[in-house]
Amino acid sequence: MKISWLKKWGLPGIILLCLGCAASPHSVEKFMNDTVISRIAMTDARMQTMGRTELLTDGGIRFSYPGVTTHFRANGKMLWLQAHSTSEQSHLEIIVDDNAPRVIRLAQRSQRIPLLIEAQSIASPHQVTIIHRGETWHGTVTLEHIEIADGDLLDPPPLPHRRMLILGDSVTCGEAIERTADCKKDTRWWNPRLSYGMLTAAALDAQVHLVCYGGRGLVRSWNGRTDELNLPDYVELTIADQTSPVTWDHRRYTPDLILSAIGTNDFSQGIPEREPYVTTYVRLIERLLELHPQAHVVLMEGAILKDEKKAALTEYLLEVQRRIASPQVHLLSSNHYPGDSCDAHPTKEQHAAMAKDLAPPLKQLMQW
């Protein structure tokens, strides 16, 4: 009877029948055909995660900022990820070895996602990368655990020792990078892996945390509101949820280089008053230097502003630099990248150009 079940359902079907089995984050389950399924916590030391995450007591991790990336190496016949989001708008990008990325839309219910397609299950070991494509307002994602059939995690390659932190808005979050020809906007368009920030970090062989929120600014949001979380607020957070914020422990990541590309949304309703803006920016930079006294901070206007608005923001940034009077605070002018007829956010090609603009002067500044 057991053999007929195996022939009828196969290994994946039998495993699905046992989804309700109780197991610890590091449990091992053995099936009737002697296949062993190991459950691995996302907080396991052999998992390499880059980006702001909340560490859960059950071994899972939660996050909402884009570009949060988990790398691991494993051998085994099959690999699965258990994950969910607080909404149906969150996407993960999965890259196995040198294969093309796969994009997965998450559900609010917990789902079991195969990490290997059939052709990939032949070779082993595998290098797996899981990247959060969305941003905070798309939903908060939980990676619950990894499951491995007849295998285990291997020691991972080390992350780069250089560290960057990039602060910004929707451009930094990678909004609309993978737009479609019909111009019907969807959260699938976001791709931080191809954003200027992650491309620049890759060119400089550095880790990077993207701390960004679409539509937000330094002192006000795109619609002029000042009662929402703006950069001085969400720079302190792991999960930038207005009703249930999660505080970030800055000791968990010490950047060598901080880029601040904020201001586009502040200027969408007109040029904000100079003194409140400059004073707020000075307090923000002083806070960053208090947290990370060894870091260099680079202020930029961003890719979208132009003409009198860009000139005003540049003047404000110069005043911020003058008041702080630190050799660790720098200005770097941004070229204008206007998007296209489909969307005002920079295109994928424009993000690549932005990274080419940034990498050489940053490399020289940091002597990297």
Side-chain angles (χ1 to χ4, degrees), residues 317-354:
L317 296 181
L318 285 167
E319 179 63 14
V320 171
Q321 184 186 39
R322 187 191 68 79
R323 292 190 190 182
I324 296 175
S326 167
Q328 292 171 242
V329 179
H330 316 268
L331 261 62
L332 185 57
S333 182
S334 306
N335 290 322
H336 178 56
Y337 291 99
D340 58 17
S341 59
C342 189
D343 196 282
H345 291 88
T347 65
K348 177 171 61 178
E349 294 76 16
Q350 290 170 352
H351 270 271
M354 292 160 63

Side-chain angles (χ1 to χ4, degrees), residues 136-319:
T136 301
W137 61 272
H138 298 170
T140 298
V141 172
T142 300
L143 303 188
E144 300 169 39
H145 59 260
I146 298 290
E147 291 182 351
I148 305 175
D150 286 343
D152 199 0
L153 291 186
L154 305 173
D155 289 335
L159 291 171
H161 69 275
R162 298 166 179 166
R163 294 182 171 188
M164 296 176 62
L165 169 63
I166 303 184
L167 312 175
D169 49 37
S170 57
V171 176
T172 299
C173 288
E175 179 168 345
I177 283 181
E178 294 198 323
R179 60 198 71 178
T180 52
D182 60 11
C183 291
K184 293 181 179 178
K185 199 164 189 175
D186 184 89
T187 54
R188 191 183 175 98
W189 283 17
W190 276 244
N191 188 345
R193 178 175 58 85
L194 300 179
S195 70
Y196 80 89
M198 294 193 79
L199 291 175
T200 300
L204 298 175
D205 189 26
Q207 297 183 53
V208 63
H209 285 201
L210 304 182
V211 175
C212 52
Y213 203 120
R216 305 298 170 85
L218 179 78
V219 300
R220 63 188 185 186
S221 301
W222 68 274
N223 53 7
R225 290 182 60 175
T226 59
D227 60 344
E228 297 178 310
L229 297 175
N230 283 300
L231 181 55
D233 307 304
Y234 62 79
V235 76
E236 306 286 355
L237 301 176
T238 308
I239 310 280
D241 184 326
Q242 187 113 3
T243 57
S244 302
V246 177
T247 302
W248 171 247
D249 181 353
H250 293 279
R251 294 171 297 180
R252 289 178 57 193
Y253 184 79
T254 303
D256 307 297
L257 174 61
I258 302 171
L259 272 62
S260 178
I262 200 72
T264 298
N265 294 303
D266 295 285
F267 283 70
S268 65
Q269 299 292 315
I271 297 174
E273 292 183 43
R274 175 190 176 101
E275 188 56 33
Y277 197 89
V278 170
T279 300
T280 301
Y281 219 141
V282 167
R283 285 200 301 265
L284 172 65
I285 303 307
E286 288 176 340
R287 169 65 174 159
L288 292 172
L289 290 175
E290 174 190 0
L291 291 167
H292 310 296
Q294 81 299 329
H296 286 266
V297 181
V298 175
L299 312 180
M300 304 186 300
E301 320 97 325
I304 292 181
L305 287 184
K306 61 179 182 176
D307 302 331
E308 69 278 1
K309 290 183 177 180
K310 181 172 182 174
L313 179 54
T314 300
E315 183 184 343
Y316 291 3
L317 296 181
L318 285 167
E319 179 63 14

